[in-house]
Amino acid sequence: QKEVEQNSGPLSVPEGAIASLNCTYSDRVSQSFFWYRQYSGKSPELIMSIYSNGDKEDGRFTAQLNKASQYVSLLIRDSQPSDSATYLCAVTADDYKLSFGAGTTVTVRA
Amino acid sequence: DTAVSQTPKYLVTQMGNDKSIKCEQNLGHDTMYWYKQDSKKFLKIMFSYNNKELIINETVPNRFSPKSPDKAHLNLHINSLELGDSAVYFCASSQDLAGEWSSYNEQFFGPGTRLTVL
């Protein structure tokens, strides 16, 4: 059973700052890693996926994966009020199951 | 066009009733999933179907029965509803099974069905 832990929130950052979200996972054979964004009352929306060690950048988002440390992170640069949401880390292995963390709620202060 | 759709969006019912939630995806994906998100917002997988075949069946009461008439549809039927079944149920789909080292396993979620059992 994979366990996925996220840094407890809520995380409050000023507009324009960098929001840093962390996630650790327990299963060493985990293969695929995802970050989802969920606005209140809405469904999870995939914003980043990462499969190999290192950094992956997409616009203002950067995902970082370190399989040796079983750690994946998400950086949100130039945070905007529209980034205020709950961010879910998700991990999967060859058991076909996507395991989610409890989420970190981010609030961007204008 | 809505990629993954669910009906109904809201469902309010009495304890002991039987209800169904329907899900359809128009993405041409082979795999579909049901998730439950409880009041603490924790998202947990319930079932997964790949090409109409049940792949994942988590520890879910057998009052919950999924059914996939074809690759584009995955329905969830719940018998004898209990108070603890109140949650938001999300359907999702991916091109292929999760677990493969591929973007094919990226999952896309429907809008959710908020079930309230009174």
Side-chain angles (χ1 to χ4, degrees):
Chain A
Q1 179 76 20
K2 294 187 291 295
E3 288 190 0
V4 181
E5 301 281 343
Q6 294 186 238
N7 49 333
S8 58
L11 179 64
S12 180
V13 298
E15 187 173 355
I18 295 175
S20 177
L21 306 171
N22 301 318
C23 174
T24 58
Y25 57 94
S26 63
D27 190 347
R28 280 203 170 273
V29 299
S30 296
Q31 298 174 342
S32 304
F33 308 86
F34 306 92
W35 284 99
Y36 284 82
R37 176 176 62 198
Q38 188 174 23
Y39 293 113
S40 181
K42 301 296 184 181
S43 59
E45 173 193 7
L46 180 65
I47 55 172
M48 289 288 282
S49 57
I50 187 166
Y51 304 100
S52 55
N53 283 328
D55 295 357
K56 179 181 178 181
E57 187 174 317
D58 185 358
R60 295 184 295 109
F61 298 101
T62 299
Q64 299 172 318
L65 174 62
N66 184 327
K67 290 187 178 181
S69 301
Q70 295 177 235
Y71 173 90
V72 58
S73 67
L74 180 71
L75 298 177
I76 307 174
R77 292 184 302 282
D78 187 23
S79 294
Q80 301 297 310
S82 60
D83 295 326
S84 298
T86 297
Y87 290 81
L88 303 169
C89 173
V91 174
T92 191
D94 56 3
D95 60 355
Y96 310 129
K97 298 177 187 176
L98 194 59
S99 294
F100 282 85
T104 301
T105 299
V106 173
T107 301
V108 180
R109 309 187 304 271
Chain B
D1 286 341
T2 303
V4 183
S5 59
Q6 293 179 230
T7 54
K9 189 172 175 61
Y10 299 97
L11 188 51
V12 181
T13 188
Q14 299 288 330
M15 263 194 333
N17 283 350
D18 302 338
K19 291 293 178 184
S20 292
I21 307 171
K22 295 185 177 182
C23 178
E24 176 180 1
Q25 55 94 4
N26 62 6
L27 297 167
H29 287 172
D30 286 346
T31 310
M32 297 184 72
Y33 311 81
W34 277 112
Y35 288 87
K36 179 181 180 181
Q37 189 168 44
D38 59 25
S39 57
K40 295 184 178 180
K41 307 301 183 187
F42 191 68
L43 197 59
K44 186 169 174 57
I45 191 164
M46 302 173 67
F47 302 103
S48 173
Y49 271 75
N50 179 258
N51 283 316
K52 302 194 297 176
E53 179 184 353
L54 182 64
I55 299 298
I56 297 172
N57 186 352
E58 282 296 89
T59 308
V60 175
N62 57 16
R63 298 182 295 104
F64 290 79
S65 54
K67 188 169 184 179
S68 181
D70 55 59
K71 285 198 314 183
H73 296 84
L74 180 61
N75 304 323
L76 183 65
H77 187 76
I78 316 171
N79 289 326
S80 304
L81 278 155
E82 301 178 356
L83 293 176
D85 296 333
S86 295
V88 180
Y89 292 84
F90 287 104
C91 176
S93 74
S94 66
Q95 190 163 355
D96 206 333
L97 287 167
E100 295 298 317
W101 192 80
S102 165
S103 62
Y104 282 12
N105 64 0
E106 293 174 353
Q107 296 186 24
F108 299 90
F109 284 75
T113 297
R114 181 173 295 276
L115 171 65
T116 303
V117 182
L118 304 175

